[in-house]
Amino acid sequence: MARKRIRDIRNEELIEATIVTVHKRGYGTVTMAEIAQEAGTSAASISYYFGSKEGLMEATMRHLLRKLRNAMVAGYGQAESPHERLYALMDANFSDSLFTVPQCSIWMQFWASAPYSSKLARLHRINRSRVRSHFVAELSQLVPADQIETARLALQSYMDGVWLQAAQSDDPLDSASARRAAHRVVDLVTSRELVA
């Protein structure tokens, strides 16, 4: 395994400080100085690494999307059926490394801001398209063709709703319970008796 460069370590520290600070202060009002204070550095240092606040926000979103992708790849590697792959998709969104109050908070704030930033809008479109294609691929093997879109919307809406509630939580999240609940939702949505 390659050693991390100092720059990469510093980038991760600044991104983690961004997650914490945006959660505390809000995406629209947080300043580079506030993020720098959380990171124990200067705003000039952030500008050096990311160019601008928007550059830092884009890097932070890419960081979270990598966490999601890595969790999905790990889950898919162990899944042996369409049903298990749906579980893996849901599990990735509720993984221990991603499903925390600050990360859910910043995720929701970013997506709410995406229509006003071309770079965030692009990331949002890519992410939604990828998630949609994964859902459709697995659901097409489990439910009748005329019910795939309804089932996909139900699963996507469930995930988004749980993330929105998590973003507003004052308590630590229980990712294991969230995954168990998500599995039950998959079971309900893919039950032909209930979907039909």
Side-chain angles (χ1 to χ4, degrees):
M1 180 181 215
R3 290 177 54 162
K4 285 189 177 180
R5 297 177 305 158
I6 297 291
R7 181 183 180 103
D8 294 334
I9 293 168
R10 193 62 184 139
N11 283 356
E12 287 179 16
E13 292 171 349
L14 293 171
I15 285 170
E16 290 303 323
T18 301
I19 292 168
V20 170
T21 311
V22 170
H23 171 61
K24 289 178 184 174
R25 300 280 302 139
Y27 176 82
T29 60
V30 73
T31 66
M32 296 276 270
E34 289 168 331
I35 295 168
Q37 182 177 10
E38 179 71 32
T41 190
S42 67
S45 176
I46 294 175
S47 293
Y48 172 77
Y49 286 106
F50 298 100
S52 65
K53 178 181 170 182
E54 185 177 24
L56 175 59
M57 297 305 171
E58 181 185 2
T60 301
M61 202 64 241
R62 288 182 182 279
H63 171 78
L64 295 176
L65 287 168
R66 274 191 301 278
K67 282 187 175 185
L68 176 59
R69 185 185 65 232
N70 291 342
M72 285 177 61
V73 168
Y76 267 53
Q78 298 177 5
E80 297 179 357
S81 69
H83 208 88
E84 288 180 3
R85 284 188 290 275
L86 281 177
Y87 284 166
L89 181 56
M90 300 297 269
D91 287 352
N93 283 272
F94 301 115
S95 67
D96 295 340
S97 68
L98 191 63
F99 190 62
T100 66
V101 173
Q103 290 180 131
C104 289
S105 172
I106 197 169
W107 188 281
M108 289 300 173
Q109 291 182 64
F110 277 166
W111 290 156
S113 300
Y116 313 103
S117 164
S118 60
K119 290 181 179 181
L120 291 182
R122 181 177 173 278
L123 291 177
H124 183 59
R125 282 192 306 273
I126 291 168
N127 180 61
R128 292 304 263 198
S129 176
R130 183 175 62 221
V131 171
R132 183 184 191 287
S133 68
H134 285 302
F135 274 135
V136 169
E138 306 312 331
L139 287 168
S140 66
Q141 300 176 65
L142 297 170
V143 300
D146 64 339
Q147 296 174 12
I148 292 171
E149 187 60 13
T150 301
R152 182 197 69 79
L153 282 171
L155 293 174
Q156 186 73 53
S157 297
Y158 175 78
M159 283 192 323
D160 290 347
V162 172
W163 270 66
L164 182 58
Q165 284 184 321
Q168 299 171 345
S169 178
D170 292 327
D171 300 317
L173 304 179
D174 183 346
S175 54
S177 292
R179 290 190 295 272
R180 285 192 299 273
H183 287 203
R184 289 193 294 272
V185 173
V186 168
D187 294 343
L188 286 169
V189 167
T190 58
S191 168
R192 289 177 185 257
E193 295 171 9
L194 292 171
V195 175

